[in-house]
Amino acid sequence: MGGRFTLPSQIDLLVQLQEVDQVLRANTQAVESSEGRLADLEEAYRLKSVATDEARTTSSALGTRQRDLEGRLQVAEEKMKDRRMRVTRIRNDKELGLARREVDLLKEEITTMESELQQVYEQVEAATTALVGLEGELKGLADEREAEALALKETVERLGEAIERDRGRRQQILGTVDESLRSRYEMILSRRGGVAVVAVRNGTCEGCRMRVPPQLYNQIQRNEQVFLCPSCQRMLHWRPEQSEAS
Ligand SMILES: [Zn+2]
């Protein structure tokens, strides 16, 4: 290499560390949100699938009940036809009375079955409509899942790789940061909403917008030591390349 170069100062390293930590945190949250979305899609499909199966069972049971009633109704109607024919041939008064009574009972039975069957037809219709609706919704959820799942899985994979890389990078930086500064950084990070190092611009702390005392400001610009903002207790970082004009 050759030429002049300066090693990054501790505060520069902490700035880099914080950048890596912020990316790590954002990527970790994005992975969690993608995985959450995937789980939601799966769960919505599963629940709809259970509801559709239940509707199918109901529909099928009603179909069985309809066929059963139709069969019994047909038997009763044939029987009544037969008994009515018989009535015309009976000459004995007592037998005629019994036969007519039987016809009346059959008529009653048929009327009951017909009204029952009417109800079942209505239930079958309602169940069929419900089932068709649920099947449509299930298909919609399957399509939605299919459309999103691949992209979500790709995102999770891609971010997972980035997270691995950043963890390595984090370890690398940590290896060069002073131990006590590192623990102080971690402490401030957890207490101050994920921002431990802030820039000072135009003599103002960018973390809390308070003016830094002039003497401290001069010390910060020397970049030799890590100073804390007297107001928000964050580590202060001065960037010489930033404009001081405005
Ligand atoms: Zn501050």
Side-chain angles (χ1 to χ4, degrees):
M1 274 176 72
R4 257 190 77 216
F5 66 95
T6 48
L7 288 168
S9 68
Q10 288 290 301
I11 192 71
D12 289 334
L13 289 169
L14 287 170
V15 167
Q16 288 174 25
L17 181 63
Q18 180 166 274
E19 277 165 8
V20 172
D21 278 347
Q22 280 168 349
V23 172
L24 262 173
R25 194 163 50 238
N27 283 343
T28 304
Q29 279 167 3
V31 165
E32 278 166 13
S33 124
S34 293
E35 282 173 343
R37 176 68 185 149
L38 266 172
D40 287 349
L41 286 167
E42 286 297 332
E43 182 63 0
Y45 181 83
R46 192 189 66 80
L47 289 174
K48 193 62 74 182
S49 181
V50 168
T52 307
D53 286 346
E54 279 169 5
R56 200 171 287 128
T57 305
T58 303
S59 191
S60 146
L62 280 166
T64 305
R65 178 147 171 69
Q66 178 190 327
R67 283 188 297 280
D68 172 60
L69 267 169
E70 283 168 345
R72 278 162 52 211
L73 185 62
Q74 196 185 347
V75 168
E77 276 166 346
E78 272 160 16
K79 200 171 167 188
M80 190 166 78
K81 208 184 287 173
D82 173 76
R83 296 302 184 270
R84 272 181 171 153
M85 295 271 282
R86 210 177 283 177
V87 165
T88 61
R89 294 195 296 265
I90 294 171
R91 298 288 170 256
N92 178 308
D93 277 353
K94 193 187 167 192
E95 268 180 47
L96 192 63
L98 284 171
R100 278 185 175 148
R101 174 88 188 114
E102 197 187 0
V103 168
D104 286 345
L105 285 173
L106 278 167
K107 214 187 276 179
E108 227 173 274
E109 199 187 326
I110 285 167
T111 306
T112 306
M113 276 196 280
E114 276 172 346
S115 85
E116 218 174 312
L117 193 57
Q118 189 52 46
Q119 280 178 5
V120 171
Y121 283 146
E122 282 163 19
Q123 288 169 351
V124 165
E125 203 189 321
T128 304
T129 305
L131 180 59
V132 168
L134 282 166
E135 280 170 343
E137 288 168 27
L138 187 65
K139 170 86 169 63
L141 288 173
D143 290 348
E144 195 182 357
R145 186 181 59 172
E146 201 182 326
E148 281 188 52
L150 193 63
L152 284 167
K153 282 173 186 163
E154 277 171 5
T155 301
V156 168
E157 200 176 316
R158 179 172 50 78
L159 292 178
E161 285 164 9
I163 287 170
E164 275 308 302
R165 270 200 311 275
D166 285 340
R167 280 186 183 145
R169 173 111 182 87
R170 184 175 207 277
Q171 283 309 114
Q172 207 183 346
I173 297 169
L174 282 180
T176 60
V177 173
D178 178 79
E179 185 61 37
S180 73
L181 273 179
R182 175 193 166 172
S183 56
R184 194 187 272 182
Y185 165 84
E186 302 278 7
M187 191 189 72
I188 301 171
L189 198 72
S190 69
R191 286 188 186 167
R192 296 282 163 185
V195 183
V197 188
V198 288
V200 186
R201 196 173 294 176
N202 303 325
T204 303
C205 165
E206 299 249 290
C208 66
R209 300 275 151 205
M210 294 293 282
R211 285 203 75 79
V212 174
Q215 200 198 335
L216 179 59
Y217 189 45
N218 290 335
Q219 287 175 308
I220 293 163
Q221 289 183 48
R222 273 183 233 129
N223 215 14
E224 289 166 350
Q225 217 184 314
V226 176
F227 296 98
L228 301 185
C229 169
S231 170
C232 71
Q233 306 298 318
R234 290 188 178 99
M235 293 167 167
L236 295 173
H237 172 239
W238 182 68
R239 294 182 190 215
E241 70 269 22
Q242 269 162 1
S243 169
E244 293 279 305
S246 54

